[in-house]
């Protein structure tokens, strides 16, 4: 006989009625009804169903995520057609007396400077130019600034093209210097990176006369003792507890160095900033950020962070 499971439903309230069930091959079995709503008979080979167990909740694995830096550039671009050189293109745009500050080894990409009209400062306007076939692309990248330096470099892992780095200074109390990196991979000026970036730093005051710096991108943390600095700001009480949580301010990048630190053939970008508290002249820390190009993300990411106390 095959093993099967039968479910028998019997109406409630009739305890004297008897019913018959045909099991198989003429085998009859009599059962007596009782006051039940549901009776389940289990034969050999049919087991009782167990309640489902709740799934175990596991803590998700923590994975460090690289954050691409989102540099922005808002410049003025022009494409001048039917010209053979940047000189002709600049003349057609009524830009006169421009000079070459740097150029690529193939002689097609240029950094050009033009004297600014402001007579009170020795300032310039800065342009990027690329000589394509029968046309020249012109990008105005800075106005009323100083060109600290321009140089060729390799930062994006593509050895078939080279990049131009332009270090542009601005007249400001912070001494900000914007390093812009460009290439000409698509036979036109292509913006890659600016050192005027949010590198993810934040700071708060902490017990024990401390200023704590955190970097959201690298999980880096630095604790800087502030007790021996200018105490006229009234930031802490006598027990070293902060009277508020407001931390330090960080100026824009004032210096950028491009060098191959790990000898892999691509240069890293090291950006330096100053942190101050209370008033601008009260500098407390130097902030150094190392940026590298990530070929998988096709973007620049922060590789290292360092905050160092300024000794006075």
């Amino acid at each position: 006989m095959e093993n099967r499971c039968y479910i028998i439903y019997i109406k409630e309230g009739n305890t004297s009625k008897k019913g018959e069930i045909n099991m198989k091959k003429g085998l009859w079995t009599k059962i007596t009804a009782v006051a039940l709503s549901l009776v389940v008979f289990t034969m050999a080979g049919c087991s009782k169903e167990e309640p489902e167990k709740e799934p175990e909740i596991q803590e998700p694995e923590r994975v460090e995520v690289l954050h691409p830096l989102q540099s922005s550039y808002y410049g003025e671009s022009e494409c001048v057609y039917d010209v053979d050189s940047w000189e002709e293109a600049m003349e057609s745009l009524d830009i006169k007396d421009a000079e070459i500050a740097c150029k690529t080894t193939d002689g097609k990409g240029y950094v050009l400077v033009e004297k600014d009209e402001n007579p009170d400062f020795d300032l310039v306007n800065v342009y990027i130019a690329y000589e394509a076939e029968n046309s020249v692309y012109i990008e105005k990248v800075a106005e009323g600034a100083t060109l600290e330096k321009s140089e060729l470099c390799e930062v994006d892992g593509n050895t078939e093209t080279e990049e131009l780095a332009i270090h542009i200074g601005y007249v400001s109390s912070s001494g900000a210097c914007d390093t812009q990196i460009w290439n000409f991979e698509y036979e036109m000026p292509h913006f890659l990176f600016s050192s005027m970036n949010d590198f993810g730093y934040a700071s708060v005051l902490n017990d024990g006369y401390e200023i704590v710096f955190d970097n959201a991108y690298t999980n880096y943390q630095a604790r800087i003792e502030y007790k021996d600095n200018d105490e006229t700001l009234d930031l802490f009480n006598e027990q070293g507890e902060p009277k508020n949580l407001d931390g330090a301010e960080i100026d824009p990048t004032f210096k950028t160095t491009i060098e191959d630190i790990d000898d892999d053939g691509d240069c890293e970008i090291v950006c330096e900033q100053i942190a101050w508290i209370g008033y601008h002249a009260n500098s407390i820390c130097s902030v150094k950020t190392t940026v590298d190009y990530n070929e998988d993300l096709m973007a620049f990411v922060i590789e290292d962070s360092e905050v160092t106390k300024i000794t006075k």
Side-chain angles (χ1 to χ4, degrees):
M1 179 187 299
E2 297 180 6
N3 294 327
R4 294 186 180 181
C5 176
Y6 293 83
I7 299 177
I8 315 298
Y9 294 93
I10 303 177
K11 290 185 178 181
E12 183 179 354
N14 190 349
T15 59
S16 61
K17 185 177 180 180
K18 296 183 180 180
E20 295 181 351
I21 300 175
N22 187 347
M23 304 286 285
K24 190 178 182 183
K25 297 181 181 179
L27 178 63
W28 293 84
T29 302
K30 294 184 178 181
I31 60 173
T32 303
V34 293
L36 295 172
S37 298
L38 176 66
V39 177
V40 178
F41 286 91
T42 304
M43 300 181 68
C46 181
S47 60
K48 184 178 179 181
E49 185 178 353
E50 297 182 359
E52 294 184 2
K53 295 182 179 180
E54 294 184 2
E56 296 182 3
I57 301 177
Q58 296 182 350
E59 186 72 18
E61 184 179 353
R62 298 186 180 275
V63 180
E64 185 175 353
V65 179
L66 295 173
H67 297 261
L69 295 175
Q70 303 295 331
S71 291
S72 298
Y73 169 75
Y74 303 96
E76 301 175 11
S77 61
E78 296 277 355
C79 182
V80 183
Y81 296 96
D82 299 324
V83 294
D84 296 321
S85 67
W86 67 265
E87 292 95 339
E88 293 181 50
M90 297 291 270
E91 185 177 353
S92 70
L93 297 174
D94 199 26
I95 302 172
K96 300 177 180 179
D97 301 324
E99 298 179 353
I100 298 174
C102 187
K103 65 179 180 179
T104 57
T105 54
D106 63 5
K108 293 184 177 182
Y110 298 86
V111 177
L112 305 173
V113 293
E114 172 205 20
K115 178 70 176 178
D116 187 68
E117 295 179 354
N118 191 329
D120 298 327
F121 299 96
D122 187 20
L123 303 177
V124 296
N125 301 323
V126 184
Y127 302 85
I128 286 280
Y130 183 80
E131 294 177 343
E133 186 175 355
N134 297 322
S135 62
V136 175
Y137 290 90
I138 304 288
E139 289 268 358
K140 188 176 185 178
V141 299
E143 183 175 357
T146 60
L147 181 61
E148 304 294 327
K149 183 173 66 170
S150 55
E151 58 183 320
L152 294 174
C153 59
E154 177 55 59
V155 297
D156 66 352
N158 185 355
T159 57
E160 295 181 1
T161 62
E162 56 190 354
E163 288 72 61
L164 274 173
I166 314 168
H167 304 266
I168 303 168
Y170 292 97
V171 179
S172 66
S173 59
S174 66
C177 183
D178 179 20
T179 295
Q180 298 180 14
I181 299 179
W182 295 72
N183 71 9
F184 306 97
E185 184 175 354
Y186 306 105
E187 295 192 347
M188 61 184 296
H190 178 221
F191 174 75
L192 292 177
F193 175 81
S194 168
S195 63
M196 304 297 258
N197 216 310
D198 177 12
F199 295 122
Y201 293 98
S203 69
V204 294
L205 301 182
N206 194 35
D207 291 349
Y209 301 100
E210 281 188 338
I211 303 177
V212 180
F213 289 84
D214 289 285
N215 188 287
Y217 295 160
T218 62
N219 295 325
Y220 170 85
Q221 186 178 89
R223 296 177 176 271
I224 305 298
E225 185 183 4
Y226 186 73
K227 188 175 182 180
D228 59 340
N229 277 286
D230 190 340
E231 297 181 7
T232 61
L233 301 176
D234 196 30
L235 301 176
F236 299 91
N237 61 23
E238 294 181 356
Q239 289 75 40
E241 300 169 336
K243 294 186 176 181
N244 61 71
L245 296 179
D246 295 337
E249 300 286 340
I250 300 179
D251 280 339
T253 300
F254 73 92
K255 180 182 178 182
T256 300
T257 305
I258 302 174
E259 59 180 328
D260 187 3
I261 298 174
D262 53 9
D263 295 323
D264 66 347
D266 287 332
C267 291
E268 285 73 39
I269 306 167
V270 182
C271 302
E272 298 183 49
Q273 300 168 272
I274 293 294
W276 54 274
I277 195 164
Y279 53 93
H280 200 258
N282 189 33
S283 303
I284 56 172
C285 295
S286 65
V287 180
K288 186 180 292 187
T289 307
T290 302
V291 177
D292 198 9
Y293 187 79
N294 185 287
E295 294 187 36
D296 293 331
L297 295 177
M298 299 179 66
F300 289 92
V301 299
I302 295 178
E303 188 175 79
D304 192 25
S305 306
E306 182 182 358
V307 177
T308 307
K309 183 177 179 179
I310 296 176
T311 304
K312 296 185 177 182

Tab-separated table of all heavy atoms in Angstrom, residues 82-119:
chain	number	residue	atom	x	y	z
A	82	ASP	N	38.423	77.926	-39.285
A	82	ASP	CA	39.139	78.437	-40.462
A	82	ASP	C	40.360	79.262	-40.075
A	82	ASP	O	40.651	80.306	-40.669
A	82	ASP	CB	38.198	79.272	-41.352
A	82	ASP	CG	37.031	78.449	-41.869
A	82	ASP	OD1	37.233	77.254	-42.168
A	82	ASP	OD2	35.919	78.995	-41.947
A	83	VAL	N	41.055	78.811	-39.057
A	83	VAL	CA	42.339	79.407	-38.673
A	83	VAL	C	43.350	78.286	-38.494
A	83	VAL	O	42.988	77.133	-38.252
A	83	VAL	CB	42.234	80.241	-37.379
A	83	VAL	CG1	41.352	81.476	-37.589
A	83	VAL	CG2	41.696	79.389	-36.229
A	84	ASP	N	44.611	78.631	-38.592
A	84	ASP	CA	45.672	77.623	-38.519
A	84	ASP	C	46.498	77.705	-37.242
A	84	ASP	O	47.302	76.805	-36.972
A	84	ASP	CB	46.604	77.759	-39.731
A	84	ASP	CG	45.882	77.478	-41.041
A	84	ASP	OD1	45.046	76.544	-41.048
A	84	ASP	OD2	46.148	78.183	-42.030
A	85	SER	N	46.352	78.757	-36.463
A	85	SER	CA	47.197	78.920	-35.286
A	85	SER	C	46.431	79.642	-34.179
A	85	SER	O	45.407	80.300	-34.423
A	85	SER	CB	48.451	79.734	-35.642
A	85	SER	OG	48.096	81.076	-35.969
A	86	TRP	N	46.952	79.500	-32.953
A	86	TRP	CA	46.332	80.177	-31.824
A	86	TRP	C	46.454	81.689	-31.959
A	86	TRP	O	45.580	82.437	-31.478
A	86	TRP	CB	46.935	79.700	-30.498
A	86	TRP	CG	48.380	80.068	-30.281
A	86	TRP	CD1	49.466	79.301	-30.546
A	86	TRP	CD2	48.877	81.295	-29.746
A	86	TRP	NE1	50.632	79.962	-30.212
A	86	TRP	CE2	50.293	81.205	-29.708
A	86	TRP	CE3	48.290	82.470	-29.278
A	86	TRP	CZ2	51.119	82.211	-29.242
A	86	TRP	CZ3	49.104	83.499	-28.810
A	86	TRP	CH2	50.506	83.374	-28.787
A	87	GLU	N	47.533	82.177	-32.606
A	87	GLU	CA	47.681	83.627	-32.787
A	87	GLU	C	46.518	84.188	-33.605
A	87	GLU	O	45.936	85.223	-33.254
A	87	GLU	CB	48.999	83.949	-33.490
A	87	GLU	CG	50.251	83.666	-32.655
A	87	GLU	CD	50.843	82.296	-32.927
A	87	GLU	OE1	50.096	81.423	-33.433
A	87	GLU	OE2	52.031	82.089	-32.639
A	88	GLU	N	46.157	83.507	-34.698
A	88	GLU	CA	45.033	83.955	-35.516
A	88	GLU	C	43.722	83.890	-34.738
A	88	GLU	O	42.868	84.779	-34.856
A	88	GLU	CB	44.921	83.100	-36.776
A	88	GLU	CG	46.073	83.251	-37.766
A	88	GLU	CD	45.855	82.367	-38.994
A	88	GLU	OE1	44.751	82.428	-39.575
A	88	GLU	OE2	46.772	81.612	-39.335
A	89	ALA	N	43.563	82.832	-33.948
A	89	ALA	CA	42.336	82.677	-33.169
A	89	ALA	C	42.203	83.785	-32.131
A	89	ALA	O	41.115	84.371	-31.969
A	89	ALA	CB	42.324	81.311	-32.496
A	90	MET	N	43.280	84.100	-31.415
A	90	MET	CA	43.236	85.144	-30.398
A	90	MET	C	42.973	86.512	-31.019
A	90	MET	O	42.217	87.328	-30.480
A	90	MET	CB	44.543	85.159	-29.608
A	90	MET	CG	44.830	83.886	-28.828
A	90	MET	SD	43.722	83.611	-27.419
A	90	MET	CE	44.622	84.431	-26.118
A	91	GLU	N	43.564	86.735	-32.177
A	91	GLU	CA	43.350	88.010	-32.856
A	91	GLU	C	41.895	88.162	-33.285
A	91	GLU	O	41.312	89.247	-33.181
A	91	GLU	CB	44.276	88.115	-34.063
A	91	GLU	CG	44.210	89.460	-34.766
A	91	GLU	CD	45.193	89.562	-35.912
A	91	GLU	OE1	46.012	88.629	-36.081
A	91	GLU	OE2	45.150	90.574	-36.640
A	92	SER	N	41.286	87.078	-33.758
A	92	SER	CA	39.881	87.139	-34.166
A	92	SER	C	38.962	87.388	-32.977
A	92	SER	O	37.851	87.912	-33.133
A	92	SER	CB	39.485	85.838	-34.872
A	92	SER	OG	39.431	84.763	-33.954
A	93	LEU	N	39.410	87.025	-31.758
A	93	LEU	CA	38.636	87.265	-30.534
A	93	LEU	C	39.014	88.591	-29.889
A	93	LEU	O	38.567	88.898	-28.780
A	93	LEU	CB	38.858	86.129	-29.537
A	93	LEU	CG	38.387	84.731	-29.968
A	93	LEU	CD1	38.809	83.685	-28.951
A	93	LEU	CD2	36.874	84.704	-30.158
A	94	ASP	N	39.832	89.373	-30.584
A	94	ASP	CA	40.293	90.680	-30.099
A	94	ASP	C	41.076	90.552	-28.789
A	94	ASP	O	40.966	91.396	-27.892
A	94	ASP	CB	39.111	91.632	-29.924
A	94	ASP	CG	39.560	93.098	-29.889
A	94	ASP	OD1	40.633	93.398	-30.465
A	94	ASP	OD2	38.863	93.923	-29.270
A	95	ILE	N	41.823	89.476	-28.681
A	95	ILE	CA	42.722	89.277	-27.542
A	95	ILE	C	44.143	89.487	-28.049
A	95	ILE	O	44.655	88.701	-28.845
A	95	ILE	CB	42.569	87.864	-26.948
A	95	ILE	CG1	41.124	87.641	-26.505
A	95	ILE	CG2	43.521	87.669	-25.775
A	95	ILE	CD1	40.832	86.217	-26.082
A	96	LYS	N	44.761	90.571	-27.610
A	96	LYS	CA	46.053	90.953	-28.164
A	96	LYS	C	47.169	90.749	-27.143
A	96	LYS	O	46.937	90.715	-25.927
A	96	LYS	CB	46.009	92.412	-28.614
A	96	LYS	CG	44.942	92.688	-29.685
A	96	LYS	CD	44.884	94.157	-30.058
A	96	LYS	CE	43.812	94.404	-31.113
A	96	LYS	NZ	43.702	95.828	-31.492
A	97	ASP	N	48.365	90.640	-27.650
A	97	ASP	CA	49.579	90.562	-26.824
A	97	ASP	C	49.581	89.359	-25.892
A	97	ASP	O	50.155	89.416	-24.790
A	97	ASP	CB	49.756	91.852	-26.005
A	97	ASP	CG	49.849	93.080	-26.898
A	97	ASP	OD1	50.440	92.969	-27.994
A	97	ASP	OD2	49.318	94.137	-26.511
A	98	ALA	N	48.930	88.274	-26.279
A	98	ALA	CA	49.006	87.053	-25.475
A	98	ALA	C	50.347	86.369	-25.698
A	98	ALA	O	50.921	86.416	-26.792
A	98	ALA	CB	47.868	86.116	-25.829
A	99	GLU	N	50.850	85.715	-24.651
A	99	GLU	CA	52.147	85.048	-24.724
A	99	GLU	C	52.014	83.610	-24.253
A	99	GLU	O	51.132	83.273	-23.450
A	99	GLU	CB	53.181	85.782	-23.862
A	99	GLU	CG	53.452	87.221	-24.289
A	99	GLU	CD	54.453	87.913	-23.389
A	99	GLU	OE1	54.830	87.306	-22.347
A	99	GLU	OE2	54.862	89.044	-23.702
A	100	ILE	N	52.928	82.766	-24.724
A	100	ILE	CA	52.936	81.354	-24.328
A	100	ILE	C	53.617	81.207	-22.970
A	100	ILE	O	54.739	81.672	-22.779
A	100	ILE	CB	53.665	80.499	-25.379
A	100	ILE	CG1	52.947	80.562	-26.725
A	100	ILE	CG2	53.754	79.057	-24.903
A	100	ILE	CD1	53.690	79.849	-27.838
A	101	ALA	N	52.925	80.557	-22.036
A	101	ALA	CA	53.523	80.237	-20.743
A	101	ALA	C	53.994	78.794	-20.692
A	101	ALA	O	54.967	78.469	-20.007
A	101	ALA	CB	52.526	80.495	-19.624
A	102	CYS	N	53.307	77.910	-21.414
A	102	CYS	CA	53.678	76.492	-21.445
A	102	CYS	C	52.973	75.846	-22.630
A	102	CYS	O	51.929	76.317	-23.076
A	102	CYS	CB	53.259	75.810	-20.134
A	102	CYS	SG	53.827	74.106	-19.940
A	103	LYS	N	53.564	74.755	-23.162
A	103	LYS	CA	52.915	74.036	-24.254
A	103	LYS	C	53.259	72.556	-24.186
A	103	LYS	O	54.256	72.158	-23.573
A	103	LYS	CB	53.312	74.608	-25.607
A	103	LYS	CG	54.783	74.458	-25.969
A	103	LYS	CD	55.053	75.049	-27.351
A	103	LYS	CE	56.516	74.917	-27.747
A	103	LYS	NZ	56.771	75.468	-29.098
A	104	THR	N	52.418	71.748	-24.810
A	104	THR	CA	52.634	70.307	-24.829
A	104	THR	C	53.768	69.965	-25.786
A	104	THR	O	54.144	70.766	-26.646
A	104	THR	CB	51.353	69.577	-25.251
A	104	THR	OG1	50.941	70.065	-26.544
A	104	THR	CG2	50.235	69.809	-24.256
A	105	THR	N	54.294	68.758	-25.649
A	105	THR	CA	55.446	68.375	-26.469
A	105	THR	C	55.102	68.247	-27.942
A	105	THR	O	55.980	68.381	-28.797
A	105	THR	CB	56.030	67.039	-25.967
A	105	THR	OG1	54.990	66.055	-25.923
A	105	THR	CG2	56.630	67.197	-24.579
A	106	ASP	N	53.814	67.998	-28.269
A	106	ASP	CA	53.435	67.920	-29.683
A	106	ASP	C	53.153	69.288	-30.286
A	106	ASP	O	52.845	69.414	-31.480
A	106	ASP	CB	52.229	67.003	-29.886
A	106	ASP	CG	50.980	67.512	-29.172
A	106	ASP	OD1	51.000	68.615	-28.599
A	106	ASP	OD2	49.968	66.784	-29.196
A	107	GLY	N	53.234	70.338	-29.461
A	107	GLY	CA	53.071	71.696	-29.960
A	107	GLY	C	51.653	72.073	-30.312
A	107	GLY	O	51.429	73.074	-31.003
A	108	LYS	N	50.655	71.342	-29.801
A	108	LYS	CA	49.261	71.651	-30.122
A	108	LYS	C	48.489	72.262	-28.961
A	108	LYS	O	47.513	72.973	-29.167
A	108	LYS	CB	48.544	70.387	-30.598
A	108	LYS	CG	49.046	69.847	-31.933
A	108	LYS	CD	48.208	68.656	-32.379
A	108	LYS	CE	48.657	68.151	-33.745
A	108	LYS	NZ	47.817	67.016	-34.213
A	109	GLY	N	48.920	71.966	-27.733
A	109	GLY	CA	48.239	72.499	-26.554
A	109	GLY	C	49.059	73.596	-25.904
A	109	GLY	O	50.285	73.470	-25.772
A	110	TYR	N	48.379	74.675	-25.446
A	110	TYR	CA	49.095	75.833	-24.929
A	110	TYR	C	48.430	76.384	-23.668
A	110	TYR	O	47.205	76.298	-23.505
A	110	TYR	CB	49.116	76.968	-25.963
A	110	TYR	CG	49.819	76.645	-27.253
A	110	TYR	CD1	49.142	76.022	-28.300
A	110	TYR	CD2	51.160	76.972	-27.438
A	110	TYR	CE1	49.789	75.726	-29.493
A	110	TYR	CE2	51.809	76.684	-28.634
A	110	TYR	CZ	51.116	76.062	-29.652
A	110	TYR	OH	51.755	75.774	-30.832
A	111	VAL	N	49.255	76.984	-22.805
A	111	VAL	CA	48.793	77.895	-21.762
A	111	VAL	C	49.212	79.287	-22.206
A	111	VAL	O	50.400	79.545	-22.447
A	111	VAL	CB	49.411	77.575	-20.383
A	111	VAL	CG1	48.949	78.601	-19.347
A	111	VAL	CG2	49.036	76.168	-19.940
A	112	LEU	N	48.243	80.184	-22.304
A	112	LEU	CA	48.498	81.543	-22.791
A	112	LEU	C	48.122	82.555	-21.718
A	112	LEU	O	47.161	82.347	-20.964
A	112	LEU	CB	47.683	81.818	-24.061
A	112	LEU	CG	47.856	80.831	-25.215
A	112	LEU	CD1	46.860	81.144	-26.327
A	112	LEU	CD2	49.286	80.856	-25.745
A	113	VAL	N	48.869	83.649	-21.623
A	113	VAL	CA	48.567	84.707	-20.662
A	113	VAL	C	48.433	86.038	-21.389
A	113	VAL	O	49.132	86.306	-22.371
A	113	VAL	CB	49.647	84.809	-19.567
A	113	VAL	CG1	49.634	83.566	-18.693
A	113	VAL	CG2	51.030	85.011	-20.159
A	114	GLU	N	47.519	86.841	-20.884
A	114	GLU	CA	47.274	88.177	-21.429
A	114	GLU	C	47.275	89.167	-20.274
A	114	GLU	O	46.683	88.900	-19.220
A	114	GLU	CB	45.918	88.194	-22.147
A	114	GLU	CG	45.457	89.570	-22.579
A	114	GLU	CD	43.944	89.647	-22.714
A	114	GLU	OE1	43.238	88.804	-22.128
A	114	GLU	OE2	43.481	90.567	-23.413
A	115	LYS	N	47.900	90.291	-20.434
A	115	LYS	CA	47.942	91.310	-19.398
A	115	LYS	C	46.542	91.797	-19.081
A	115	LYS	O	45.773	92.148	-19.970
A	115	LYS	CB	48.807	92.479	-19.876
A	115	LYS	CG	48.907	93.642	-18.894
A	115	LYS	CD	49.718	93.270	-17.665
A	115	LYS	CE	49.872	94.492	-16.756
A	115	LYS	NZ	50.604	94.173	-15.518
A	116	ASP	N	46.190	91.814	-17.772
A	116	ASP	CA	44.872	92.285	-17.363
A	116	ASP	C	44.819	93.807	-17.435
A	116	ASP	O	45.839	94.491	-17.315
A	116	ASP	CB	44.572	91.810	-15.938
A	116	ASP	CG	43.154	92.124	-15.506
A	116	ASP	OD1	42.228	91.524	-16.057
A	116	ASP	OD2	42.995	92.988	-14.626
A	117	GLU	N	43.617	94.345	-17.607
A	117	GLU	CA	43.460	95.789	-17.773
A	117	GLU	C	43.585	96.560	-16.466
A	117	GLU	O	43.704	97.779	-16.483
A	117	GLU	CB	42.091	96.086	-18.410
A	117	GLU	CG	41.949	95.549	-19.826
A	117	GLU	CD	40.578	95.835	-20.404
A	117	GLU	OE1	39.718	96.351	-19.656
A	117	GLU	OE2	40.364	95.532	-21.597
A	118	ASN	N	43.519	95.869	-15.318
A	118	ASN	CA	43.610	96.553	-14.022
A	118	ASN	C	45.021	97.104	-13.828
A	118	ASN	O	45.989	96.358	-13.727
A	118	ASN	CB	43.280	95.572	-12.888
A	118	ASN	CG	43.091	96.280	-11.553
A	118	ASN	OD1	43.693	97.314	-11.286
A	118	ASN	ND2	42.243	95.707	-10.716
A	119	PRO	N	45.180	98.460	-13.747
A	119	PRO	CA	46.520	99.045	-13.652
A	119	PRO	C	47.144	98.964	-12.260
A	119	PRO	O	48.340	99.200	-12.089
A	119	PRO	CB	46.268	100.507	-14.049
A	119	PRO	CG	44.857	100.764	-13.608
A	119	PRO	CD	44.118	99.473	-13.798
